[in-house]
């Protein structure tokens, strides 16, 4: 099996996994995997639970559609992230419920999008950036994502959902799941005094578990 064919199979299995875990619904969400000369991305208006490896969209290194079904309308988000993150091998974008709920909150400027409640949130998600709201397809959204992705592997689109890059699809999935679970904790703890990790504890994690 060629590397591309293997990537097609893995991407479809991951889509099904996300669908069965309730992290995507309907035709929402999209995935991509980087190849040597471009990348594969899920087609537009497709359910991630019913992907066909042969019909995945094939894009060249500049993001131009060169094969398969038409790509997701949000493929430009993947193009922007790959352009500025050479270490990214895969990207996951979902409209997962609790993460979207966090994206709809009225965030104070300069405050963390989510508090560092657990070590694994810090290790797998890191410093989550909030991208201002722009309608889907707006060119300004692409520019905002590109700017944020330079320093952040995980970004949250306001009133929309997360976009997460990883070295592999598994890495991106683990970060997405950690983000979603931390978002759940955030709402479960609402109204209760919380004790997030201190800046010193966060810094220690960065030193000990630096990849």
């Amino acid at each position: 099996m060629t590397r591309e064919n293997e990537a097609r199979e893995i991407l479809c299995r991951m889509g099904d996994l996300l669908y069965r875990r309730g992290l995507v619904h309907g035709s929402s969400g999209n995935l991509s995997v980087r190849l040597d000369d471009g990348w594969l991305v899920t087609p537009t208006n497709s359910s991630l639970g019913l992907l066909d490896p042969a019909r995945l969209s094939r894009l060249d290194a500049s993001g131009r559609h060169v094969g398969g079904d038409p790509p997701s309308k949000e493929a430009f988000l993947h193009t922007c992230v790959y352009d500025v993150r050479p270490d990214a091998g895969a990207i996951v974008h979902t409209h997962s419920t609790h993460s979207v709920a966090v994206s709809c909150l009225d965030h104070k400027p300069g405050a963390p999008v989510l508090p560092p409640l657990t070590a694994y949130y810090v290790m797998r998600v890191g410093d989550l950036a909030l991208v201002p709201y722009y309608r889907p397809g707006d060119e300004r959204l692409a520019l905002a994502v590109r700017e944020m992705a330079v320093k952040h592997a995980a970004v949250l689109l306001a009133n929309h959902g997360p976009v997460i890059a990883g070295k592999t699809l598994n890495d991106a999935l683990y970060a997405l799941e950690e983000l979603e679970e931390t978002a759940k904790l955030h709402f479960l703890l609402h109204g209760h005094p919380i004790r997030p990790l201190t800046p010193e504890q966060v810094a220690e994690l960065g030193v000990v578990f630096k990849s």
Side-chain angles (χ1 to χ4, degrees):
M1 181 181 291
T2 67
R3 181 178 180 275
E4 179 173 334
N5 286 341
E6 182 180 15
R8 288 175 180 272
E9 295 291 339
I10 292 171
L11 193 150
C12 291
R13 289 202 301 270
M14 188 66 74
D16 182 58
L17 184 63
L18 286 167
Y19 189 84
R20 287 188 285 109
R21 290 187 181 180
L23 292 167
V24 295
H25 54 275
S27 62
S28 69
N30 34 80
L31 309 172
S32 68
V33 175
R34 194 199 290 266
L35 302 172
D36 294 335
D37 57 350
W39 50 86
L40 298 169
V41 67
T42 49
T44 187
N45 201 33
S46 61
S47 167
L48 295 193
L50 297 170
L51 296 173
D52 180 346
R55 299 182 64 177
L56 294 175
S57 304
R58 181 73 152 82
L59 307 182
D60 66 15
S62 65
R64 185 172 60 93
H65 180 218
V66 294
D69 287 355
S72 165
K73 294 183 290 294
E74 296 177 317
F76 68 93
L77 296 176
H78 299 247
T79 302
C80 291
V81 176
Y82 283 131
D83 281 350
V84 298
R85 297 197 71 84
D87 60 330
I91 296 170
V92 175
H93 169 51
T94 70
H95 302 168
S96 38
T97 304
H98 294 85
S99 298
V100 173
V102 168
S103 82
C104 296
L105 297 176
D106 185 13
H107 296 277
K108 296 180 180 178
V113 180
L114 280 171
L117 295 175
T118 69
Y120 280 93
Y121 173 75
V122 174
M123 292 158 57
R124 289 183 171 158
V125 180
D127 185 13
L128 180 66
L130 182 67
V131 177
Y133 174 79
Y134 297 102
R135 64 165 175 78
D138 191 320
E139 185 177 318
R140 292 173 296 174
L141 177 58
L143 296 175
V145 169
R146 184 190 302 271
E147 180 180 352
M148 293 289 191
V150 172
K151 295 183 178 180
H152 303 271
V155 301
L156 187 62
L157 313 182
N159 305 84
H160 190 157
V163 178
I164 299 179
K167 290 182 179 179
T168 67
L169 262 178
N170 274 340
D171 290 336
L173 171 65
Y174 295 154
L176 172 70
E177 289 184 311
E178 200 64 46
L179 171 57
E180 183 68 5
E181 293 304 312
T182 303
K184 289 180 187 178
L185 287 174
H186 183 63
F187 290 111
L188 283 170
L189 293 169
H190 180 69
H192 299 277
I194 66 168
R195 188 182 64 251
L197 299 184
T198 66
E200 293 77 17
Q201 290 168 331
V202 170
E204 180 187 22
L205 290 168
V207 171
V208 175
F209 296 100
K210 185 177 181 180
S211 57

